[in-house]
């Protein structure tokens, strides 16, 4: 094999490596920012504001970034996102007040948007349709690995440092970790340059968001993605409460959540084999429905082994739904609008992270914490039903 061919192949592993490091940074730093907020005198309201701003900024800029990527600027967007995955972490470490910390939080959220859109868009720009689901599976496998190692890594550094500087030291450590994305970004550059499209030329082929949303299958795909992400967030937030009510230790709950993440890693390892046996939409609606039933049953049982089975099944299904929806929306749009539809999907994810947990948490006041899992599971089952209908009927 020639050196040029080897370099051409190396860029995709570099992209997966970039994803692992970046996701480890986002997952670890977001928790550290919460502790930093409390150190600077922030209240529960301020914590909520930090969380909302992290998701709201990408919500408003997602489509604009997608249009830039569709014009051939994916690698430029990836570089800017890489910088905004490093500098805000250092800014959080030195933030003298909550206002500066809020800027750091918003910048990190923007960095995640930029790297995610660019990374996802490079796949349909580089591989044929027959390989997209497997490649998206590899990319989201990187997401799962990064999320798995990020929080423990940040926590261990914080725990190893005593005194008032523990969180600051952990933020500096995560800054150094995030800087490794620069090396991975250089490897991605081996892919070569994508030809740029002028603004006028891009405008000719660009479709409005409403036109893209009207594409048959677009709304079910986005809904499936939103339901999955909301379920993951709600499960992470409320399983500790369910565990406390059932007398489960913190260690047990942590291991249960780890089982869910590891199951997602396993499913993404084998997604290529699964999609070779079953149609993508059949696999998607089955995974959504099975995950929904598993999530609904979580507050019903208190035995750790039963909860472990439920979380493992749900995690395996979660690992399939995200890459399958990425592949679905990518196939719906023409090349001039593929990054745009991926951005709309990401915007839907961010909206779900703000709206669904807020609504579910309000209902816990009158219905108890179990209602959160009922809502999350019902949305997943509904998403499975909508996908099944899309596969079997012509709308």
């Amino acid at each position: 094999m020639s050196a040029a061919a080897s370099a051409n192949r190396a860029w995709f592993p570099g992209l997966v490596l970039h994803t692992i490091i970046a996701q480890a940074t986002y997952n670890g730093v977001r928790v550290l920012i919460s502790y930093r907020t409390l150190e600077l005198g922030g209240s529960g309201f301020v914590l909520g504001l930090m969380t909302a701003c992290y998701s709201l900024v990408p919500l408003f800029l997602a489509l604009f970034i997608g249009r830039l990527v569709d014009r051939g600027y994916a690698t430029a967007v990836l570089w800017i996102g890489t910088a905004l995955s490093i500098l805000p972490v250092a800014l959080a470490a030195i933030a003298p007040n909550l206002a500066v910390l809020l800027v750091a939080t918003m910048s990190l959220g923007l960095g995640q948007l930029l790297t995610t859109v660019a990374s996802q868009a490079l796949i349909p720009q580089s591989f044929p349709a027959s390989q997209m689901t497997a490649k998206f599976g590899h990319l989201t496998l990187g997401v799962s690995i990064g999320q798995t190692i990020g929080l423990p890594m940040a926590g261990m550094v914080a725990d190893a440092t005593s005194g008032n500087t523990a969180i600051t030291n952990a933020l500096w450590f995560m800054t150094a970790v995030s800087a490794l994305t620069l090396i991975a970004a250089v490897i991605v550059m081996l892919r070569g340059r994508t030809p740029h499209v002028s603004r006028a030329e891009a405008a000719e082929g660009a479709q409005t968001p409403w036109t893209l949303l009207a594409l048959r299958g677009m709304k079910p795909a986005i809904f499936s993605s939103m339901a999955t992400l909301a379920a993951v967030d709600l499960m992470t937030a409320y399983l500790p409460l369910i565990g406390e009510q059932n007398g489960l230790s913190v260690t047990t709950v942590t291991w249960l959540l780890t089982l869910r993440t590891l199951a997602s890693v396993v499913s993404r390892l084998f997604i290529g084999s699964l999609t070779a046996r079953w149609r993508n939409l059949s696999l998607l609606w089955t995974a959504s429905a099975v995950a929904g039933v598993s999530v609904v049953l979580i507050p019903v049982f208190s035995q750790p082994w039963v909860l472990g089975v439920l979380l493992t099944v749900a995690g395996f299904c979660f690992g399939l739904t995200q890459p399958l929806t990425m592949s679905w929306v990518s196939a719906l749009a023409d090349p001039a609008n593929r990054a745009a539809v991926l951005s709309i999907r990401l915007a839907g994810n961010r909206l779900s992270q703000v709206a669904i947990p807020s609504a579910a948490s309000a209902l816990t006041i009158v219905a108890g914490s179990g209602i959160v899992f009922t809502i999350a599971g019902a949305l997943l089952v509904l998403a499975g039903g909508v996908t099944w209908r899309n596969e079997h009927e012509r709308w």
Side-chain angles (χ1 to χ4, degrees), residues 32 35 151-163 165-167 169-170:
L32 294 176
Y35 283 110
L151 183 55
M153 191 162 47
M156 284 189 294
V157 175
D159 288 341
T161 308
S162 58
T165 61
I167 301 303
N169 290 342

Side-chain angles (χ1 to χ4, degrees), residues 84-336:
L84 288 179
S85 301
I86 303 169
L87 299 176
V89 187
L91 182 60
I94 62 174
N97 53 53
L98 290 171
V100 175
L101 189 62
L102 182 61
V103 171
T105 300
M106 294 167 63
S107 301
L108 190 65
L110 179 57
Q112 182 175 19
L113 169 70
L114 292 167
T115 58
T116 302
V117 172
S119 299
Q120 291 181 7
L122 283 171
I123 291 176
Q125 288 180 5
S126 309
F127 299 102
S130 60
Q131 296 183 33
M132 276 200 293
T133 300
K135 295 301 182 182
F136 278 127
H138 295 150
L139 189 70
T140 52
L141 173 62
V143 173
S144 292
I145 294 172
Q147 290 175 343
T148 302
I149 65 177
L151 183 55
M153 191 162 47
M156 284 189 294
V157 175
D159 288 341
T161 308
S162 58
N164 298 329
T165 61
I167 301 303
T168 300
N169 290 342
L171 283 167
W172 281 120
F173 174 80
M174 294 307 294
T175 302
V177 170
S178 64
L180 297 176
T181 53
L182 293 169
I183 299 172
V186 171
I187 299 174
V188 176
M189 295 305 105
L190 297 174
R191 172 182 176 272
R193 181 178 176 274
T194 301
H196 294 170
V197 178
S198 68
R199 185 179 285 106
E201 188 178 350
E204 292 178 6
Q207 295 176 295
T208 66
W210 312 118
T211 302
L212 294 174
L213 280 170
L215 293 172
R216 181 176 180 269
M218 187 66 160
K219 289 189 284 291
I222 292 175
F223 181 52
S224 294
S225 182
M226 291 174 66
T228 297
L229 197 62
V232 170
D233 282 359
L234 288 170
M235 183 183 293
T236 302
Y238 283 91
L239 191 65
L241 181 57
I242 294 293
E244 186 178 78
Q245 292 171 350
N246 289 307
L248 303 181
S249 67
V250 174
T251 302
T252 300
V253 171
T254 302
W255 273 110
L256 288 172
L257 289 172
T258 302
L259 273 178
R260 190 265 300 166
T261 304
L262 292 176
S264 294
V265 171
V266 172
S267 66
R268 286 168 177 172
L269 279 172
F270 292 100
I271 192 169
S273 301
L274 293 171
T275 52
R277 291 172 174 265
W278 293 283
R279 292 192 302 269
N280 284 15
L281 292 188
S282 297
L283 197 59
L284 177 58
W285 73 255
T286 302
S288 296
V290 171
V293 173
S294 300
V295 171
V296 167
L297 292 175
I298 287 173
V300 177
F301 296 96
S302 59
Q303 299 93 334
W305 73 268
V306 178
L307 292 174
V309 171
L310 292 175
L311 265 75
T312 299
V313 172
F316 188 91
C317 294
F318 290 158
L320 297 175
T321 53
Q322 294 296 66
L324 286 170
T325 56
M326 290 178 196
S327 181
W328 191 3
V329 299
S330 295
L332 292 175
D334 60 273

